[in-house]
Amino acid sequence: MTASGNPGCRLTIFACAALLAGCQPLPHPFADDRPPAALLTVRDGAGVSVAPIAGKPHAAAAKLAAAMARALLRRDIPASDQTTSLGSYQLYGRLAESRASENSATVTAYWRLYDAKGRKVGERDVQVEVPVGELESGSDSPIERLAALSADGLAPLLEDEAPVEAAGSGRIRIAIGRISGAPGDGTKSLAAAVAAVLQRQDLAIAKDGQKADLTVDGEVSVAPVKPDKQHVKILWRVRRADGSEVGTVGLENDVKRGMLDGSWGDIAYSVAMAASDGLAQLVARGAPEPKS
């Protein structure tokens, strides 16, 4: 990571692919490679990485991590079963099945949530009654139900105080501007993801038509590098209300060809979480002086 001393205060962070070792098996393709130690502490609420689910029934366990990530996202909690960042919470789950009768079974999901430093935040367990046939076939319905109930139980451990509306809040007001060049639904997904991540850093997101102190724009470029790979570069720009640029945050990585052509899903949150430290620095630099 480098920051120049010129008037533009340009800050650039280039992130590379890496794999978590040991008990953290999730890849984090847009996470910082190794920033200074001061940047390793990320605010609570930076996101949740859902590890592969252990236990039986296997068909349900194989689908539950992705369903859990979707359920948390629906509650405005950034989450992914595919990626993580240095500041992510880690969520581990295990399934257990018991037969209530010949035709029905009880499935229990046991969850343990850890913060980015490996400290246990809390535990929850949730049960659902399901027909045996649905378990054996890996039907989506009971899995989605189990994920929804689990997310309801875990959300209080993850949620910050309700954000204050931008107007009259006294907080720095950020507008999410134009995001260009993104394939698939990246324009919409990246805008929503960066807004959610910034809002959880005690910043107010200005709605359409509201005055903003700073604006965050995004630019995505995709180029082929191998027959099955594409190089993706995402550049975030922060500018003041008068249009002057505060600086930029850049992330880049090689991904599977076509991976981003459809729905970005939790990848958008991974990108936003990886950029959050750099964006927070630029917001602090570009924020207007408090009125006396």
Side-chain angles (χ1 to χ4, degrees):
M1 177 173 61
T2 61
S4 66
N6 63 30
C9 291
R10 296 183 65 83
L11 172 69
T12 306
I13 300 175
F14 291 103
C16 64
L19 291 176
L20 292 180
C23 64
Q24 297 178 324
L26 303 176
H28 49 126
F30 289 102
D32 293 331
D33 44 359
R34 273 296 156 186
L39 292 185
L40 294 177
T41 301
V42 180
R43 282 182 57 85
D44 289 347
V48 182
S49 293
V50 186
I53 307 301
K56 297 180 180 180
H58 295 303
K63 293 183 175 182
L64 183 56
M68 189 63 190
R70 290 192 299 270
L72 290 170
L73 287 172
R74 283 192 290 269
R75 288 156 180 78
D76 295 323
I77 298 171
S80 173
D81 68 311
Q82 298 294 322
T83 58
T84 188
S85 73
L86 295 174
S88 294
Y89 286 97
Q90 302 292 322
L91 180 62
Y92 296 91
R94 178 175 61 85
L95 284 184
E97 174 192 356
S98 62
R99 297 292 176 97
S101 68
E102 182 178 344
N103 298 317
S104 66
T106 299
V107 179
T108 304
Y110 298 93
W111 301 100
R112 286 187 178 182
L113 181 68
Y114 296 84
D115 67 14
K117 295 183 178 179
R119 299 171 299 199
K120 187 167 73 174
V121 177
E123 298 182 358
R124 294 289 187 272
D125 61 85
V126 175
Q127 291 183 342
V128 294
E129 299 285 338
V130 297
V132 171
E134 291 189 4
L135 287 179
E136 295 174 347
S137 66
S139 173
D140 290 341
S141 177
I143 296 168
E144 294 294 335
R145 254 196 310 141
L146 190 60
L149 290 171
S150 297
D152 286 341
L154 290 164
L157 301 177
L158 295 159
E159 291 173 342
D160 294 334
E161 294 181 3
V164 177
E165 290 293 329
S169 67
R171 300 181 180 184
I172 300 172
R173 296 164 296 185
I174 309 295
I176 308 303
R178 182 171 180 263
I179 296 178
S180 62
D185 73 349
T187 296
K188 180 180 178 180
S189 293
L190 285 171
V194 77
V197 169
L198 291 175
Q199 196 170 43
R200 297 176 77 84
Q201 292 189 1
D202 207 31
L203 300 170
I205 303 302
K207 299 178 181 179
D208 291 343
Q210 287 184 324
K211 183 179 178 181
D213 300 307
L214 299 167
T215 298
V216 176
D217 299 307
E219 180 181 339
V220 182
S221 61
V222 181
V225 288
K226 295 179 181 179
D228 62 340
K229 294 286 186 180
Q230 292 175 310
H231 187 75
V232 179
K233 184 175 181 179
I234 302 171
L235 192 66
W236 298 102
R237 289 188 172 88
V238 178
R239 53 187 171 86
R240 300 178 179 88
D242 62 6
S244 62
E245 186 174 291
V246 179
T248 63
V249 178
L251 306 168
E252 58 182 338
N253 189 41
D254 291 343
V255 301
K256 183 178 178 180
R257 180 181 289 273
M259 181 179 180
L260 304 177
D261 288 349
S263 173
W264 283 52
D266 51 27
I267 295 174
Y269 283 89
S270 175
V271 169
M273 286 187 282
S276 61
D277 279 328
L279 288 174
Q281 291 183 52
L282 294 179
V283 167
R285 291 185 185 184
E289 293 293 330
K291 295 179 180 180
S292 55

